[in-house]
Amino acid sequence: MYLSRILRLSIFLYGLLHFVTFFVNNELLADLQALSGLLILLFAGINLTVKQFKLPLVLFLTGLITITLAGDSLFENLQDGLLQMSSIIGLLIVVPMIGWVLREEPYIEEIIGLAHRMLDTSRKFYFGMIFFTHIISYFLLFGAIPLMYRFVDDILKNQQGEAWENFKGTALLRAFALSTLWIISIPSFTFAVEALNASLWVTILQGFVVTVCAIAVAVIFSYFDEKRYGVDLTSEIKTEIDKVVSHSSNRKQQIRHTLEFAFLFITLFGSIFILYELISIPLMVLIPLVIIVWTSIYFTIKKSSAKLFRQTAEYYREGLISQGYQFSIMLAAGVMILGINQTGLGANFIEMIYSLQEIIPFFNMLYFLPFIVIILGFMALGPLTVMVLVAGILESISLPYPPELVVLSITSGSAISILLSPLIMPVIILSGTNGLSGYKNGIKFNLKYAIALYVMVQFYIQFVVYNL
């Protein structure tokens, strides 16, 4: 009981101090936030068995070892590592508030009731999941994964098992992975475009075309996955949609709720987009602040301020504890990432690949670049960290290829690492949401699709290269 209270309070303080220290640069508060992160790791571990806690434990110990071997100050680097993922944890603490609004009215049921014929087969439903996750990723980055999972789970709440988790998880993860190929609000994509001096519109256009093709391939893969599991997802989806439709109101009410949902969507994500253009606040800080204000305004207009208070109190008591394991993984991964960066291992590996390319001249560099990003992704380096390393080095090297192709090559590696690596945030977040292992959500479910994506992107790149 007391351990849970300390864990709950530690998560709350960590999230609160993340926002406070962004606006108030205070070393004491930063120290307190790092201490809160350490307490999250400690008490999340105490609440679980060693077997359940092995992933964050391995990540944390690996980080400590690499920091020690780097020879720098252990205390200072440990503190920096515990703060490495603060923006992600702050976002994920706040994102569930969107669900409070969506559950106030039967928005999902009414939208399904109005458009159920557009989602009444497994292929249509799969495409719908990819489409909406892709759009929301523009604003929420990988925060779209838990948001859309909860949305879809509200519809398919009676369907359990690996086949259904494969169906939901692959759609969400593939949708977000593909967003790194062309969406301007994805930091890794923006950094690559600027560092390599590529044409923004050409890069976005070619990434968009590749994404459209990759979505079509993803839908085809979902068909074969369904056959492999030997289940008829379409009949079950129709059954669940029929249940949703049976609880929906008349068409006029459906249209009203659909328009209200569209207004909520536009005001939330539109305000994020406008404010991001007008004020210089990082997206990962801006999004949760807008969500808090947006949710408060909604409940005020609905004259349900007391209900908002009850929801907040219940979330503090129950919701934060349920996310303790997920947050402990992120904190441990932050320590490990900092440790790897301290050793300079990533930069040394990139230089080794350049030497290898000189030995095998019939392969051009654009074949290799995705693998550099993928391997670094399996070393727990996130897409942005990897992009800073790779694009930063490429910036100082003259390559005989259009910079737009170089950007596509390295962003395709980023997309594949997101699909496969159990050590970076998208797979970690999905695993924390659906309860499956990182290996299963990543490599087992997506390896063949990742290979197909690599081949497809390289076919386009090499076709352009040899026709220059």
Side-chain angles (χ1 to χ4, degrees):
M1 184 66 177
Y2 290 104
L3 295 179
S4 297
R5 287 181 179 179
I6 296 173
L7 176 59
R8 185 190 303 127
L9 179 61
S10 299
I11 295 173
F12 174 76
L13 283 176
Y14 189 90
L16 177 64
L17 289 172
H18 161 63
F19 296 109
V20 172
T21 53
F22 176 80
F23 294 102
V24 180
N25 188 12
N26 186 289
E27 188 174 337
L28 178 61
L29 293 179
D31 292 342
L32 182 57
Q33 184 186 358
L35 177 61
S36 299
L38 188 61
L39 290 176
I40 293 171
L41 270 170
L42 177 63
F43 287 100
I46 292 174
N47 281 342
L48 299 170
T49 65
V50 174
K51 183 177 180 180
Q52 292 171 322
F53 198 68
K54 63 183 177 182
L55 177 57
L57 184 61
V58 168
L59 293 176
F60 184 71
L61 292 177
T62 303
L64 282 181
I65 292 170
T66 52
I67 289 172
T68 303
L69 292 176
D72 295 325
S73 171
L74 177 62
F75 177 77
E76 290 182 8
N77 283 315
L78 178 59
Q79 179 182 2
D80 292 341
L82 290 169
L83 299 177
Q84 189 93 354
M85 298 294 177
S86 61
S87 60
I88 297 169
I89 294 176
L91 172 64
L92 292 177
I93 288 174
V94 175
V95 159
M97 294 179 71
I98 297 175
W100 304 353
V101 172
L102 297 183
R103 287 191 289 271
E104 273 300 286
E105 300 283 356
Y107 297 117
I108 296 174
E109 291 85 349
E110 302 291 30
I111 292 171
I112 296 300
L114 190 63
H116 63 277
R117 290 187 179 87
M118 299 173 63
L119 299 169
D120 60 357
T121 69
S122 55
R123 301 289 75 72
K124 292 178 183 178
F125 199 93
Y126 194 87
F127 174 80
M129 286 192 292
I130 290 180
F131 176 79
F132 282 111
T133 304
H134 206 69
I135 296 301
I136 295 175
S137 296
Y138 199 101
F139 305 102
L140 292 184
L141 308 181
F142 52 77
I145 294 174
L147 173 64
M148 278 302 299
Y149 185 90
R150 290 185 179 92
F151 185 93
V152 171
D153 211 41
D154 280 343
I155 300 171
L156 304 176
K157 53 182 173 290
N158 295 318
Q159 305 304 327
Q160 305 294 330
E162 185 175 306
W164 285 101
E165 294 305 332
N166 175 285
F167 182 72
K168 293 181 287 186
T170 56
L172 303 184
L173 197 59
R174 291 169 187 177
F176 176 72
L178 295 175
S179 71
T180 62
L181 298 178
W182 72 284
I183 288 182
I184 189 62
S185 62
I186 301 294
S188 57
F189 174 82
T190 305
F191 181 86
V193 171
E194 292 183 355
L196 298 173
N197 198 28
S199 166
L200 178 62
W201 297 110
V202 172
T203 310
I204 288 177
L205 180 60
Q206 75 176 6
F208 175 76
V209 171
V210 170
T211 296
V212 171
C213 297
I215 289 174
V217 172
V219 173
I220 294 171
F221 266 75
S222 74
Y223 168 80
F224 289 106
D225 284 337
E226 183 176 344
K227 293 296 183 183
R228 179 168 56 85
Y229 280 109
V231 294
D232 183 7
L233 300 181
T234 293
S235 63
E236 299 297 337
I237 287 172
K238 284 182 177 179
T239 300
E240 295 299 331
I241 290 179
D242 287 343
K243 290 178 182 178
V244 173
V245 171
S246 67
H247 292 93
S248 61
S249 52
N250 58 55
R251 186 171 179 81
K252 184 177 180 180
Q253 192 80 343
Q254 290 174 347
I255 293 173
R256 184 180 75 81
H257 278 115
T258 300
L259 291 176
E260 186 175 324
F261 176 81
F263 177 76
L264 290 170
F265 184 89
I266 291 169
T267 54
L268 175 58
F269 301 118
S271 59
I272 290 171
F273 182 75
I274 292 170
L275 289 172
Y276 183 61
E277 293 295 321
L278 294 178
I279 58 179
S280 58
I281 295 180
L283 197 61
M284 299 290 278
V285 176
L286 178 63
I287 289 171
L289 294 178
V290 171
I291 290 174
I292 292 170
V293 174
W294 178 79
T295 304
S296 301
I297 292 174
Y298 175 85
F299 279 96
T300 301
I301 292 174
K302 290 283 187 177
K303 299 179 179 178
S304 302
S305 298
K307 189 168 186 179
L308 174 61
F309 179 79
R310 289 196 301 272
Q311 290 266 31
T312 304
E314 181 181 351
Y315 179 61
Y316 177 79
R317 289 193 306 268
E318 307 294 337
L320 292 181
I321 290 293
S322 66
Q323 298 187 77
Y325 175 71
Q326 184 178 345
F327 294 155
S328 68
I329 292 177
M330 290 183 220
L331 288 163
V335 174
M336 180 176 174
I337 288 170
L338 188 95
I340 290 175
N341 288 341
Q342 291 289 327
T343 64
L345 186 61
N348 292 335
F349 182 80
I350 291 171
E351 293 294 347
M352 183 187 71
I353 294 296
Y354 277 102
S355 301
L356 182 63
Q357 196 257 341
E358 295 177 2
I359 301 173
I360 315 175
F362 55 86
F363 277 110
N364 61 52
M365 177 58 69
L366 300 181
Y367 282 115
F368 285 111
L369 289 179
F371 290 104
I372 298 172
V373 179
I374 293 166
I375 292 171
L376 291 176
F378 274 89
M379 296 168 66
L381 298 180
L384 180 56
T385 304
V386 172
M387 204 61 68
V388 169
L389 281 172
V390 178
I393 292 176
L394 293 177
E395 184 179 13
S396 61
I397 298 174
S398 178
L399 294 175
Y401 313 111
E404 295 79 18
L405 292 183
V406 180
V407 171
L408 180 58
S409 181
I410 56 179
T411 54
S412 68
S414 178
I416 292 170
S417 69
I418 288 170
L419 288 169
L420 299 179
S421 176
L423 300 178
I424 60 177
M425 284 307 112
V427 173
I428 289 173
I429 289 172
L430 179 60
S431 296
T433 305
N434 68 11
L436 299 182
S437 69
Y439 167 78
K440 187 170 286 187
N441 277 318
I443 295 172
K444 182 177 180 180
F445 286 169
N446 288 297
L447 179 59
K448 292 178 181 178
Y449 178 74
I451 294 172
L453 178 61
Y454 173 81
V455 171
M456 183 170 57
V457 171
Q458 285 299 318
F459 178 83
Y460 167 77
I461 289 175
Q462 300 305 325
F463 177 82
V464 174
V465 167
Y466 286 108
N467 284 275
L468 287 175

